[in-house]
Amino acid sequence: MVKGVIFFKEGEIPFVIDDYRMELFTDNSLLKDFSKEYNFKTNYILQGQCFCNGFQGQKSTFLVEQSMGSTCYLRCYIINMLTHEDGYDAIGIQSPFLDDIFRYKYKYLDMVRAGSNLAVEPKDVYTVPFSMSDRQYEVKFRIGHDNRLGLLEDFNRKGELLLSLQTNDIQECYDISVVFYRFAMFMMSHADVPLKLITLYKRGLKAGWFYCPLISDKASSCQDGFFHELDVMKYVPKILNNIALDSGNKITQSVPLGHLGNVDSMFSPQRFVEQVMAFEYLFDKLDHIKAQNSKFTLKDELMYMFNQFPQLLSNHKMSSEKVSEQIKEIRRTIAHGYAYYYDFKSDPNTQYLIILLDKLIRNMSLLCIGFAKDEIEQCPLY
């Protein structure tokens, strides 16, 4: 729980934040005036102070998604360091999932064997350019510690993605966080890929911390083996640029991610329907004419795409027509209320089709991003 005050008019209103919900409270008329001015207002910024250490205020900025009365639902917020009052010029993202994707363990071992002392000076392993919101960025994946700050100050640090910011705006920080969260989702084929820590910097020194619901200090991953052979500079730039096409709530240009599930939703009717929706979205991107042809049914679309990637069914006895018919039929039974959650949990054939659809959607996404079919087949994510 975070405590502090927001600045309003000529006064201060105390607050507590729990699970990104800010509750304001005070006995004076300021709260009434605040509620009158901001009731049901969306997407606005508040300034204030947080008392994280109990007695000294730290300058803070809050991006409010929506407010109702004395309750503000936060999209994100920034808490400056005690010694820092003005802006920031860079953002650093730490995530065990991004460490796996950028092959942290393998690069670390290679660099140590080559004689680098990463406890003295950090090294930039990759530099990936990408575009977001008509702005050009370069993200650097950095390994090691800055000896000026001391090893113990951030002993748990592994890799960190660093970007120079182009504005002093909290919205830019949030958009960048969303893009890299979605990038991790795509690469991991999983919905639960929280970021671990986001730090703001000014001239290379820590200036503050950024908080949003995409962050969890319990984030952990051990999937680095899947990326052992990943050619980062071949695949990551194109994928990241595509993901960055949509940093808002709607996905209209980038590849879909809504079909990705977690442990609880992996095999469920709802996710199956979301998979079919993602397939239809991608099929329209890849072949708009066929997608708009009412005589070209879902089964026809599935057959067409499975035939584009025959390796998906190379170890399966059923033909693309048979598999497509089964997927179409399951979609029909769900739409008519004949399929239930426990039917999916106990049916290995349905579970296989869900996994197969995931692979097909992944391949279609890579094709939509701009990779050739031979590159898709060679991709270790396949």
Side-chain angles (χ1 to χ4, degrees):
M1 184 176 291
V2 179
K3 301 177 182 180
V5 296
I6 62 164
F7 304 138
F8 180 67
K9 294 184 176 179
E10 300 299 322
E12 299 176 349
I13 303 177
F15 69 77
V16 293
I17 298 174
D18 186 21
D19 196 23
Y20 295 92
R21 187 177 70 179
M22 174 190 282
E23 297 285 356
L24 305 174
F25 58 93
T26 184
D27 293 332
N28 61 41
S29 60
L30 271 180
L31 183 56
K32 184 178 180 181
D33 294 342
F34 177 90
S35 299
K36 185 181 296 184
E37 182 172 338
Y38 288 102
N39 197 29
F40 295 109
K41 190 173 181 180
T42 60
N43 199 35
Y44 64 93
I45 293 174
L46 295 173
Q47 301 289 343
Q49 286 184 329
C50 288
F51 299 97
C52 299
N53 58 7
F55 60 91
Q56 189 169 355
Q58 295 169 253
K59 183 180 177 182
S60 305
T61 305
F62 308 92
L63 178 57
V64 182
E65 187 168 8
Q66 184 181 20
S67 57
M68 298 176 63
S70 61
T71 302
C72 300
Y73 297 93
L74 302 180
R75 182 170 294 160
C76 56
Y77 59 92
I78 291 171
I79 299 179
N80 287 16
M81 293 189 69
L82 284 170
T83 56
H84 189 85
E85 285 293 328
D86 53 357
Y88 34 85
D89 56 24
I91 185 171
I93 301 174
Q94 295 181 46
S95 161
F97 301 97
L98 294 172
D99 285 345
D100 288 349
I101 295 165
F102 284 92
R103 306 177 65 252
Y104 165 77
K105 289 182 181 179
Y106 304 107
K107 298 302 292 187
Y108 184 93
L109 290 173
D110 290 343
M111 295 173 77
V112 170
R113 287 167 179 163
S116 297
N117 186 351
L118 297 175
V120 174
E121 184 179 2
K123 302 289 185 182
D124 293 338
V125 182
Y126 301 108
T127 300
V128 180
F130 73 99
S131 175
M132 184 189 76
S133 302
D134 298 323
R135 301 189 187 110
Q136 299 299 318
Y137 293 89
E138 274 191 350
V139 57
K140 297 179 180 180
F141 183 66
R142 182 169 294 176
I143 293 176
H145 299 264
D146 189 339
N147 68 335
R148 296 177 302 167
L149 305 178
L151 182 61
L152 293 178
E153 183 174 338
D154 197 2
F155 188 73
N156 293 324
R157 177 201 302 270
K158 292 184 178 179
E160 184 175 28
L161 292 175
L162 289 164
L163 300 87
S164 295
L165 296 170
Q166 300 190 21
T167 69
N168 202 24
D169 185 7
I170 188 173
Q171 182 68 53
E172 182 185 14
C173 298
Y174 181 74
D175 290 344
I176 289 172
S177 304
V178 168
V179 165
F180 280 95
Y181 182 86
R182 291 176 177 174
F183 170 72
M185 283 179 65
F186 179 82
M187 299 296 285
M188 290 288 178
S189 295
H190 203 269
D192 289 339
V193 288
L195 309 174
K196 191 165 189 176
L197 180 68
I198 299 182
T199 309
L200 299 175
Y201 295 93
K202 181 75 171 184
R203 293 187 289 273
L205 299 176
K206 287 183 180 179
W209 294 272
F210 176 87
Y211 299 92
C212 71
L214 306 178
I215 298 173
S216 171
D217 57 4
K218 297 179 181 179
S220 63
S221 176
C222 55
Q223 302 183 56
D224 52 291
F226 292 108
F227 302 95
H228 172 58
E229 297 181 350
L230 177 67
D231 186 337
V232 171
M233 294 309 297
K234 179 178 181 180
Y235 290 98
V236 167
K238 282 186 178 181
I239 295 173
L240 183 56
N241 271 282
N242 182 274
I243 297 294
L245 291 173
D246 294 306
S247 58
N249 293 330
K250 292 184 178 180
I251 291 181
T252 58
Q253 302 178 73
S254 60
V255 294
L257 300 169
H259 65 286
L260 297 176
N262 53 31
V263 175
D264 296 325
S265 66
M266 181 69 182
F267 302 112
S268 66
Q270 293 87 345
R271 194 170 97 83
F272 186 88
V273 172
E274 289 166 350
Q275 283 182 305
V276 174
M277 292 171 63
F279 170 84
E280 295 275 22
Y281 170 89
L282 286 168
F283 190 82
D284 185 76
K285 294 280 187 186
L286 294 170
D287 198 326
H288 183 70
I289 295 176
K290 284 188 175 67
Q292 296 302 309
N293 185 352
S294 59
K295 295 182 179 179
F296 206 75
T297 65
L298 173 62
K299 177 182 175 181
D300 296 326
E301 293 174 352
L302 287 163
M303 285 177 57
Y304 180 81
M305 292 313 305
F306 276 122
N307 290 334
Q308 295 293 310
F309 302 104
Q311 67 273 17
L312 292 177
L313 298 175
S314 59
N315 296 323
H316 199 279
K317 295 180 181 179
M318 289 193 294
S319 64
S320 61
E321 181 179 5
K322 185 68 174 177
V323 169
S324 301
E325 174 64 29
Q326 289 190 3
I327 293 173
K328 183 213 72 173
E329 184 61 21
I330 293 173
R331 201 280 301 266
R332 187 190 69 82
T333 58
I334 294 173
H336 288 83
Y338 301 141
Y340 299 96
Y341 178 78
Y342 291 105
D343 295 333
F344 277 62
K345 295 290 284 187
S346 60
D347 185 353
N349 184 61
T350 300
Q351 293 176 7
Y352 170 77
L353 292 175
I354 288 175
I355 294 172
L356 192 60
L357 262 179
D358 274 338
K359 292 181 178 180
L360 179 62
I361 292 169
R362 164 61 65 86
N363 284 8
M364 292 173 66
S365 296
L366 292 172
L367 189 63
C368 189
I369 288 170
F371 292 102
K373 290 181 182 178
D374 60 329
E375 292 177 311
I376 295 172
E377 190 170 352
Q378 295 166 10
C379 180
L381 305 181
Y382 164 70

